[in-house]
Amino acid sequence: MAKNLRLKAARAEKDMTQGDLAEAVGVSRQTIHAIEKGEYNPTIRLCRAICRVLGKTLDELFWEEEETEQ
Amino acid sequence: MNTIFKSSKLDEMQEIQMLKIEHYGLWLAFWGLLVITIVQASMKAPFQQYAAEGFLLCVLAVFELAASLKYGLWDRTGKPSLWLNLLAAFAAAAITGGSTFAEQRYWPGALFSGVFSFLLTFGILKFFASLYRKRRAKLDHVEEDPISNEEDDSHD
């Protein structure tokens, strides 16, 4: 799974640390770290919670074009 | 069951990690108990010595079987088939027949033991495979909820 750099960028835009985002969506920092590193594929429920906190759409943060998908 | 999950302090990724740990722990216990039971039986230990391990092994096996059938699951790698059932029954026959012959050096007894194991294993597998197929068919034919109800669920 590829790294999710868009999530990292969106978090930086909001000036949030991984810990801040984790707290806002109710998961551990380890989980946010794993999502950004592409080591964990979050459920749609968590994706939506992250999008809501960062003010982005699912497409903006989680959509992958076919050639980048593994 | 819901009460347990509600009180969980783990998030979704940690929950998956915990389930994986428990999964490997369960299979370690299962195969470990099987090996311990077989080794003790082959060393001619008195039955009372390994009865508890054997009982726990049976409980684990029955639990796995019942839970898998409840959710219409058979195996990760495939579905039950006549060839797999025959292969498993043949393996059971070879193990019991071979061990009986090694122990008693009496081939008619070993043959009888092997044939009986073959028929028993094949019959059991066939029976549970048919239960699995019935359950699978039932789960795959559950009626859909009306669309109007789904709209109500769209709000978190």
Side-chain angles (χ1 to χ4, degrees), chain B residues 56-146:
Chain B
L56 188 57
L57 185 66
C58 290
V59 169
L60 276 174
V62 169
F63 170 77
E64 284 288 318
L65 181 68
S68 300
L69 286 175
K70 182 185 173 190
Y71 293 103
L73 303 172
W74 185 260
D75 184 53
R76 279 196 180 82
T77 50
K79 292 177 179 177
S81 71
L82 182 65
W83 287 111
L84 281 175
N85 291 352
L86 282 171
L87 195 68
F90 184 76
I95 290 167
T96 49
S99 61
T100 306
F101 185 74
E103 194 180 328
Q104 299 174 355
R105 300 281 164 198
Y106 178 60
W107 71 263
L111 184 69
F112 176 78
S113 159
V115 169
F116 183 75
S117 291
F118 179 88
L119 293 175
L120 184 68
T121 309
F122 186 73
I124 288 172
L125 283 173
K126 191 106 178 113
F127 173 71
F128 284 113
S130 77
L131 280 186
Y132 156 78
R133 286 198 188 91
K134 276 183 194 162
R135 184 69 184 148
R136 190 72 262 151
K138 192 178 176 188
L139 290 170
D140 285 340
H141 290 90
V142 174
E143 281 188 29
E144 284 185 41
D145 289 335

Side-chain angles (χ1 to χ4, degrees), chain A residues 9-37:
Chain A
R11 181 170 58 76
E13 263 177 42
K14 288 265 177 184
D15 203 20
M16 291 176 93
T17 63
Q18 286 183 341
D20 295 335
L21 179 58
E23 201 180 334
V25 296
V27 296
S28 65
R29 185 186 161 257
Q30 176 198 14
T31 299
I32 298 297
H33 177 73
I35 296 169
E36 289 187 359
K37 283 197 80 178

Side-chain angles (χ1 to χ4, degrees), chain B residues 9 11 42 59 72 79 149:
Chain B
K9 300 284 185 288
D11 67 30
S42 65
V59 169
K79 292 177 179 177
N149 286 353

